Amino acid sequence: MTPFNKPYMTGDELYYIKDAVSRGKISGNGYYTKKCHSFFKEKIGFRNCLLTSSCTDALEMAAILVGIQKGDEVIMPSYTFVSTANAFVLRGAKIIFADSYQNNPNIDATAVEKLVTSKTKAIVVVHYAGVACDMDIIMDIAKKNNLFVVEDAAQAIDSFYKDKPLGSIGHLATFSFHETKNIISGEGGMLVVNDKSFDKRAEIIWEKGTNRSAFFRGETDKYSWVDVGSSFLPSDVTAAFLYAQLENLGKIQSRRKQLWNTYYNGFKILEDEGVIKLPNIPEYGSSNGHLFYIICKSKEERSALINFLKAHDVHAVFHYLSLHKSPFYVEYNEKIVLKNCDNFSNTLLRLPLFYELEGQIQKKIIELVKEFFKK
Ligand SMILES: *Cc1c(COP(=O)(O)O)cnc(C)c1O
């Protein structure tokens, strides 16, 4: 069976983990955490960042930092992972779901302004499949209405909006290094702080609500409880694993993008014939080879294709169930209709894409999909 995903180990992970262990300090904010921070600042150009135990954690930090209070409204796409919403619900926010574009699962930036009310506090965008949302429109709406923008860039490492790296545009941004993402550490994530007014507080919330980091830098003579917070830092063992991956970012990315392009070119003819639809990359965005999907004509067709592939030992999957139709949301909110989101939820199919996917196997997958649609 060709799996849907296979986490790629570069081979350097154990070397760095061993080194982390031999340094004798493996709690958070250690040697490798700092090395990863430097990598992101120097190689990607992020102004300030903090590794976290997950993207979910980073989103929870973002919700605390933007100061969500009970009843505040947060606008975000319904077509996303649960954590995008949950992090803000935990602080008492009311989630206002926006629809996707008709031809792209990302939040329809032109539909956002209508959802802004006097209670709106923030807009959370999700760069689905690592493809940029229309950030100029989003940032304009935010500026005009005095809102914060958080980029859920969980899938968006090494991807761009025009010439800006994703994660460098909103006030805050969050990344995931879960084993299903391009760069991994098992579980892992990162908060990027673009608005420097958040710098000091971000570090305190990260360190259980204490000024521990400032204390160790010798900036304060006491180490005390100064704010709310939690234990959002990963152990330095996790950071050591991540560092091995980061050193191989270029190699990993070029393979993933190559696989993405092979799928795209292989299926172009099916799109030209009107059989399926392929990812639409807007002129302001790019693909970072995070995931490859096709859009089927119906839910039934998609199920049949999944079964056909499974019968030929290929595991293909779909996601996300529209959050506005989830049991938890429906219980506490009025019914809303988001047509495009539901459409992606019903017809989008993800194909295997991972570093070690062999060219021959990928060719077979493309042929199988073509064979299915010939019938
Ligand atoms: C993977 C993902 C998350 C969650 O990341 P974790 O690191 O598992 O917490 C959040 N949002 C999106 C869009 C994701 O794809």
Side-chain angles (χ1 to χ4, degrees), residues 59-275:
L59 286 160
E60 286 179 25
M61 286 183 71
I64 297 171
L65 283 167
V66 303
I68 298 294
Q69 307 282 325
K70 193 166 169 43
D72 286 346
E73 294 179 358
V74 178
I75 300 169
M76 64 179 64
S78 174
Y79 192 75
T80 184
F81 186 64
V82 178
S83 294
T84 318
N86 233 346
F88 293 84
V89 169
L90 273 171
R91 311 242 64 86
K94 179 174 165 59
I95 305 300
I96 308 297
F97 285 123
D99 208 353
S100 301
Y101 287 109
Q102 197 244 325
N103 64 354
N104 173 343
N106 279 340
I107 190 166
D108 179 351
T110 63
V112 168
E113 191 142 39
K114 295 191 278 287
L115 302 175
V116 175
T117 72
S118 60
K119 290 185 185 160
T120 310
K121 192 76 178 253
I123 304 169
V124 185
V125 297
V126 179
H127 303 299
Y128 178 75
V131 178
C133 295
D134 197 342
M135 294 309 292
D136 282 349
I137 298 182
I138 297 288
M139 296 311 287
D140 277 351
I141 297 169
K143 200 165 177 193
K144 223 165 85 190
N145 296 282
N146 212 6
L147 310 174
F148 291 111
V149 173
V150 178
E151 298 175 69
D152 180 342
Q155 308 176 3
I157 195 160
D158 186 39
S159 203
F160 296 84
Y161 175 76
K162 298 177 181 173
D163 57 353
K164 292 187 195 132
L166 297 186
S168 70
I169 305 162
H171 299 84
L172 297 163
T174 65
F175 284 85
S176 174
F177 308 120
H178 185 265
E179 74 167 27
T180 51
K181 304 302 200 280
N182 293 25
I183 295 295
I184 63 174
S185 61
E187 301 281 351
M190 177 169 70
L191 178 76
V192 175
V193 183
N194 296 317
D195 179 339
K196 60 176 182 294
S197 69
F198 289 128
D199 280 352
K200 199 165 163 230
R201 197 161 180 239
E203 195 178 70
I204 289 167
I205 290 166
W206 190 55
E207 283 265 32
K208 298 116 180 151
T210 71
N211 56 358
R212 187 173 179 275
S213 297
F215 174 74
F216 278 109
R217 284 195 299 267
E219 292 166 15
T220 166
D221 58 358
K222 283 192 297 298
Y223 160 24
S224 20
W225 182 17
V226 294
D227 201 337
V228 296
S230 190
S231 186
F232 289 118
L233 348 64
S235 120
D236 219 47
V237 177
T238 301
F241 190 111
L242 183 66
Y243 189 68
Q245 295 262 319
L246 288 176
E247 277 199 327
N248 289 282
L249 177 67
K251 183 178 104 175
I252 292 171
Q253 284 303 94
S254 75
R255 177 65 184 150
R256 295 189 73 111
K257 287 182 200 171
Q258 183 188 30
L259 289 163
W260 194 97
N261 285 325
T262 302
Y263 271 137
Y264 191 90
N265 296 329
F267 291 134
K268 193 77 187 74
I269 180 143
L270 288 183
E271 181 172 64
D272 293 342
E273 289 166 354
V275 177

